[in-house]
Amino acid sequence: MNLVLFGPPGAGKGTQAKLLTQSRGLPQLSTGDMLRAAIAAETALGLECKAIMDRGDLVSDAIVIGIIAERLNEPDCTNGAIFDGFPRTIAQAEALDRLLEGMGEKIDLAIELKVNDESLLQRSENRVKEMLAGGQSPRADDTPETLRNRLAVYYRNTAPLIAYYENAGKLKGVDGMAPIAQVAASVRALIDAVP
Ligand code: AMP
C-alpha cells in the first residue's frame, strides 16, 4: 500500500502518518523530517535548504525527489509507504509515479486532510505556546507570518494535486477538523476500502 497524505501545513499529516505507522507497519516518509535532520546534522544539503524552509518556501523538486528516490531503495519500503508532505508539486507527483512504476508499484490512495485556514493559524499559535511553556524552541517556520506564506505556497503549488489525484481516480477527502482519533478511523476505513 502506497499512500499519499496531503493537506495544508498543520492539517495533521504527520500525526496521522505516525498513527498509521503503528497500526499498519508502513514507514512514514516525511520530506520535512528528512530535511530538518539534514539541517540538524549541518550537511551541505541542510545548509542549502535552511533559509528556504525558514521562509516557508519550497525547496527544489530535484532535491526532494532525490531524497525520496534514495529512501525508497531501503528495505522497509518493500511493502509500501506513507508519503507525508511529499509530493507537494505536480512535478513531484509525476516523479513519484515514475519512481514507483520502476519498482512495479503505484500510488494506491491519496488522502486530502481538509482543515480551514483559521483553524490552522490557531493550531500553530497553540503549538508555539505549548512548546515555549515546555521549555522547547518552536520550529523556525511555525510563526504566524511564515505560516501565512506556507499556506499561500500550499494553495499555489500543492492544491493542484487535488485534481491530479482525482483524475487518476485515487483521491479521497477526510475532515481534518474532527478529533485525531476520528480522523485516524476515517483514514483507516479508506485504506481498508482500497481493492
Ligand atoms: P513539513 O514538515 O512537511 O511542513 O515541511 C517543512 C518544510 O520543508 C516546507 O515548508 C518546505 O520548505 C520543506 N519541504 C518539505 N517537503 C517538501 C517537498 N515535498 N517539496 C518542497 N519542499 C518541501
Side-chain angles (χ1 to χ4, degrees), residues 13 30-33 35-36 52-53 56-60 64 84-88 92 139 141 150:
K13 301 181 291 286
S30 158
T31 38
D33 284 352
L35 292 167
R36 278 185 290 277
I52 301 171
M53 289 173 68
D57 288 333
L58 293 184
V59 307
S60 76
V64 287
D84 159 15
F86 180 94
R88 260 178 157 98
Q92 292 177 23
R139 262 171 61 169
D141 62 356
R150 288 165 69 203

Side-chain angles (χ1 to χ4, degrees), residues 52-92:
I52 301 171
M53 289 173 68
D54 286 354
R55 284 198 304 273
D57 288 333
L58 293 184
V59 307
S60 76
D61 287 337
I63 287 180
V64 287
I65 291 166
I67 57 179
I68 283 288
E70 222 171 90
R71 182 67 183 83
L72 279 173
N73 280 329
E74 289 178 33
D76 62 334
C77 295
T78 314
N79 294 323
I82 304 156
F83 296 91
D84 159 15
F86 180 94
R88 260 178 157 98
T89 63
I90 295 284
Q92 292 177 23

